Amino acid sequence: MLVSVVEDALRKHYGARRVELRLADYGLRSLQLVERAPHTSVSVPIHDSPQGRAFGAQEPYVTHEADAVTAHLPVTIRGDRMGVLTVTVPPDRDLAPLLSELGDISEALGHEILVAERDTDLYVQARRATRLTLAAEMQWQLLPGRSCARPEFALGAHLEPAYAIFGDNYDWSASADHLTLTVTNGMGEGIEAALLTHLAINALRNARRAGLGLADQAALADQAVFAQYRGTAYVSVLLLRFDLATGEVEAVDAGSPRLWRMRDRSVEPVIFEAQLPLGMFEETAYVPERFTVRPGDRLLFGSDGVYDAASPSGESYGERALARALTSTRLLPPTQVPGAVLRELAAYHGDTALEDDALVVCLDWWGRGARQEVTPVEDAHP
């Protein structure tokens, strides 16, 4: 097992007494131990543990005990937070000069996990604190990751209920010059919604990878969904293409996902001309709109399960509470914002369960060559 190889190397070169790899569960509530027999050990909470502190801050966290020194190191690949590597050494060993080397090992381990997942279920199983529904299994396998970072931007996303989602989805792809981002809400429930979303996302990917423009991507996916369902089912999607050099954005609003922008602590919705969802009618023509993002902008995307969720008094979350949540989380990195907003949404909604699955995507924009000139969003512990 990959973890055993790393453990042997750390014991040999650093005198490690104990080595653990924990991966974040789908709900981003716990860190699950990777072991040969999944679900046989106790998980640790993300929000109240040394491992969770390293995971949230994305920095090494060292603890000192009477008989040992332990370093917790984030395992992150291209901005996608995977988990935490824990290394315990004797108390007389100074870990400070070793943290950089251990960080490199953590990063290499993350890359190896991505490769190993092609051949084993071990790491996928470790991520689940409970059983996924079949629809949720399909949706998680479709996602590109939970976060992504490049010099021009950082992205974070989360879905709830994490173990029983069915229609909401997101997708992103970055090239040398552009970021394409898709936020999707497929109608229906369960397997039917998951199958519908799979068709739409793969049709959009097929068109994007063929080099088609944004409007043609939407048109091809529209035709694919209509050909299969003949208008009895459709997919709402917000499709955007960011120019990494200029911040100019093309957008096609084909349904219910919505966008809010925080600029200089002011939050406002970004309104587009509504166009028909994908697959509602045959051969719909889509027209892209344009706007520009500036360095320091934060964009928040939400599905209807977010902004339409009602408080006990009947007010929808998108009317005022979402803007307050975006303001109150302004010091969090974008990887932590979706989870924080969804927790606030759950409290806002009250004791009853949400009637729909809920999706939040957060994008921080720095632009090409401008990140060092913008006051960075502060890391905060979860």
Side-chain angles (χ1 to χ4, degrees), residues 250-281:
E250 275 190 294
V252 172
D253 181 359
S256 59
R258 294 183 186 176
L259 167 62
W260 286 260
R261 176 179 59 211
M262 183 170 70
R263 177 178 290 169
D264 299 327
R265 297 194 179 186
S266 175
V267 178
E268 60 181 0
V270 179
I271 306 299
F272 303 107
E273 180 181 348
Q275 302 182 64
L276 294 173
L278 306 183
M280 181 171 282
F281 297 103

Coordinates of all heavy atoms in Angstrom, one line a residue, residues 250-281:
E250 N -17.4 35.8 -20.6 CA -18.6 35.4 -21.4 C -19.5 34.6 -20.5 O -19.0 33.7 -19.8 CB -18.2 34.6 -22.6 CG -17.8 35.4 -23.8 CD -17.6 34.5 -25.0 OE1 -16.7 33.6 -25.0 OE2 -18.4 34.6 -26.0
A251 N -20.8 34.8 -20.6 CA -21.7 34.1 -19.8 C -23.0 33.7 -20.6 O -23.5 34.5 -21.4 CB -22.1 34.9 -18.6
V252 N -23.4 32.5 -20.4 CA -24.7 32.0 -20.9 C -25.5 31.6 -19.7 O -25.2 30.6 -19.0 CB -24.6 30.9 -21.9 CG1 -25.9 30.3 -22.3 CG2 -23.8 31.3 -23.2
D253 N -26.7 32.3 -19.5 CA -27.5 31.9 -18.4 C -28.7 31.1 -18.9 O -29.6 31.7 -19.5 CB -28.0 33.2 -17.7 CG -29.0 33.0 -16.5 OD1 -29.2 31.8 -16.2 OD2 -29.4 33.9 -15.9
A254 N -28.7 29.8 -18.7 CA -29.7 29.0 -19.3 C -30.4 28.3 -18.1 O -30.5 27.0 -18.0 CB -29.1 27.9 -20.2
G255 N -31.0 29.0 -17.2 CA -31.7 28.4 -16.1 C -31.5 29.0 -14.8 O -31.3 30.2 -14.6
S256 N -31.5 28.2 -13.7 CA -31.7 28.7 -12.4 C -30.5 29.0 -11.6 O -30.6 29.8 -10.6 CB -32.5 27.7 -11.6 OG -31.9 26.4 -11.5
P257 N -29.3 28.5 -11.8 CA -28.1 28.9 -11.0 C -27.9 30.4 -11.1 O -28.0 31.0 -12.1 CB -26.9 28.1 -11.6 CG -27.6 26.9 -12.2 CD -28.9 27.4 -12.7
R258 N -27.5 31.0 -9.9 CA -27.4 32.5 -9.9 C -26.0 32.8 -9.4 O -25.3 32.0 -8.8 CB -28.5 33.1 -9.1 CG -29.8 32.9 -9.7 CD -30.9 33.6 -8.8 NE -32.2 33.3 -9.3 CZ -33.4 33.8 -8.7 NH1 -33.3 34.5 -7.6 NH2 -34.5 33.5 -9.3
L259 N -25.7 34.1 -9.6 CA -24.3 34.6 -9.3 C -24.4 35.9 -8.5 O -25.3 36.8 -8.8 CB -23.6 34.9 -10.6 CG -22.3 35.7 -10.5 CD1 -21.2 35.0 -9.7 CD2 -21.7 35.9 -11.9
W260 N -23.6 36.0 -7.4 CA -23.4 37.2 -6.6 C -22.0 37.6 -6.6 O -21.1 36.8 -6.7 CB -23.9 37.0 -5.2 CG -25.4 36.9 -5.0 CD1 -26.2 37.9 -4.5 CD2 -26.2 35.7 -5.2 NE1 -27.5 37.4 -4.5 CE2 -27.5 36.1 -4.9 CE3 -25.9 34.4 -5.6 CZ2 -28.5 35.2 -5.0 CZ3 -26.9 33.5 -5.7 CH2 -28.2 33.9 -5.4
R261 N -21.7 38.9 -6.6 CA -20.4 39.5 -6.6 C -20.1 40.3 -5.4 O -21.0 41.2 -5.1 CB -20.1 40.3 -7.9 CG -18.7 41.0 -7.9 CD -18.5 41.7 -9.2 NE -19.5 42.8 -9.3 CZ -20.0 43.2 -10.5 NH1 -19.6 42.7 -11.6 NH2 -21.0 44.2 -10.5
M262 N -19.0 40.1 -4.7 CA -18.6 41.0 -3.6 C -17.4 41.7 -4.1 O -16.4 41.2 -4.5 CB -18.2 40.2 -2.4 CG -17.9 41.1 -1.2 SD -17.7 40.2 0.4 CE -16.2 39.3 0.1
R263 N -17.5 43.1 -4.1 CA -16.5 44.0 -4.5 C -16.4 45.1 -3.5 O -17.3 45.8 -3.3 CB -16.7 44.5 -5.9 CG -15.7 45.5 -6.4 CD -16.1 46.0 -7.8 NE -15.9 44.9 -8.8 CZ -16.3 45.0 -10.1 NH1 -17.0 46.0 -10.5 NH2 -16.1 44.0 -10.9
D264 N -15.2 45.2 -2.9 CA -15.0 46.2 -1.8 C -16.1 46.1 -0.7 O -16.6 47.1 -0.3 CB -15.0 47.6 -2.4 CG -13.9 47.8 -3.5 OD1 -12.8 47.2 -3.3 OD2 -14.1 48.5 -4.4
R265 N -16.4 44.9 -0.3 CA -17.3 44.6 0.7 C -18.8 44.9 0.4 O -19.7 44.8 1.2 CB -17.0 45.3 2.0 CG -15.6 44.9 2.6 CD -15.5 45.4 4.1 NE -14.2 45.0 4.6 CZ -13.9 45.2 5.9 NH1 -14.8 45.8 6.7 NH2 -12.7 44.8 6.4
S266 N -19.0 45.3 -0.9 CA -20.4 45.5 -1.3 C -20.8 44.3 -2.1 O -20.1 43.8 -3.0 CB -20.4 46.7 -2.2 OG -21.7 46.9 -2.8
V267 N -22.0 43.7 -1.8 CA -22.5 42.5 -2.4 C -23.7 42.8 -3.2 O -24.6 43.5 -2.8 CB -22.9 41.4 -1.3 CG1 -23.4 40.2 -2.0 CG2 -21.7 41.1 -0.5
E268 N -23.7 42.3 -4.5 CA -24.8 42.5 -5.4 C -24.9 41.4 -6.3 O -24.0 40.7 -6.7 CB -24.6 43.8 -6.2 CG -23.4 43.8 -7.1 CD -23.2 45.1 -7.9 OE1 -24.1 46.0 -7.7 OE2 -22.3 45.2 -8.6
P269 N -26.2 41.1 -6.7 CA -26.4 40.0 -7.7 C -25.9 40.4 -9.1 O -26.0 41.6 -9.4 CB -27.9 39.7 -7.6 CG -28.5 41.0 -7.2 CD -27.5 41.6 -6.2
V270 N -25.4 39.5 -9.8 CA -25.1 39.8 -11.2 C -26.2 39.2 -12.1 O -26.4 38.0 -12.1 CB -23.7 39.1 -11.6 CG1 -23.4 39.4 -13.1 CG2 -22.6 39.7 -10.7
I271 N -26.9 40.1 -12.8 CA -28.2 39.6 -13.4 C -27.9 39.5 -14.9 O -27.3 40.3 -15.6 CB -29.3 40.7 -13.3 CG1 -29.5 41.0 -11.8 CG2 -30.6 40.2 -13.9 CD1 -29.9 39.7 -11.0
F272 N -28.3 38.3 -15.5 CA -28.2 38.1 -16.9 C -29.6 38.0 -17.5 O -30.6 37.8 -16.8 CB -27.4 36.8 -17.2 CG -26.1 36.7 -16.6 CD1 -25.8 36.0 -15.5 CD2 -25.0 37.5 -17.1 CE1 -24.5 35.9 -14.9 CE2 -23.8 37.4 -16.6 CZ -23.5 36.7 -15.5
E273 N -29.6 38.0 -18.8 CA -30.9 37.8 -19.5 C -31.1 36.3 -19.5 O -30.3 35.5 -20.0 CB -30.8 38.3 -21.0 CG -32.1 38.0 -21.8 CD -31.9 38.5 -23.2 OE1 -31.0 39.2 -23.5 OE2 -32.8 38.1 -24.0
A274 N -32.2 35.9 -19.0 CA -32.5 34.4 -18.8 C -32.8 33.8 -20.2 O -33.6 34.3 -21.0 CB -33.7 34.2 -17.9
Q275 N -32.2 32.7 -20.4 CA -32.4 31.9 -21.7 C -32.9 30.5 -21.3 O -32.9 30.1 -20.1 CB -31.1 31.9 -22.5 CG -30.6 33.3 -22.8 CD -29.3 33.2 -23.7 OE1 -29.3 32.7 -24.8 NE2 -28.2 33.7 -23.2
L276 N -33.4 29.8 -22.3 CA -34.0 28.5 -22.0 C -33.1 27.5 -21.5 O -31.9 27.4 -21.9 CB -34.7 28.0 -23.3 CG -35.8 28.8 -23.8 CD1 -36.3 28.3 -25.2 CD2 -37.0 28.8 -22.8
P277 N -33.5 26.7 -20.5 CA -32.6 25.6 -20.0 C -32.3 24.6 -21.2 O -33.0 24.5 -22.2 CB -33.5 24.9 -19.0 CG -34.5 25.9 -18.5 CD -34.8 26.7 -19.8
L278 N -31.2 23.9 -21.0 CA -30.8 22.9 -22.0 C -31.8 21.8 -22.1 O -32.2 21.1 -21.1 CB -29.4 22.3 -21.6 CG -28.3 23.3 -21.3 CD1 -27.0 22.6 -21.0 CD2 -28.1 24.3 -22.4
G279 N -32.2 21.5 -23.3 CA -33.1 20.4 -23.6 C -34.5 20.7 -23.5 O -35.4 19.8 -23.8
M280 N -34.9 21.9 -23.3 CA -36.4 22.2 -23.2 C -37.0 22.2 -24.6 O -38.1 21.7 -24.7 CB -36.6 23.6 -22.5 CG -38.0 23.9 -22.3 SD -38.3 25.4 -21.3 CE -38.1 24.7 -19.7
F281 N -36.3 22.8 -25.6 CA -36.8 22.8 -26.9 C -35.7 22.4 -27.9 O -34.5 22.4 -27.5 CB -37.4 24.1 -27.3 CG -38.6 24.6 -26.5 CD1 -38.4 25.5 -25.5 CD2 -39.8 24.0 -26.7 CE1 -39.5 25.9 -24.7 CE2 -40.9 24.4 -26.0 CZ -40.8 25.3 -24.9

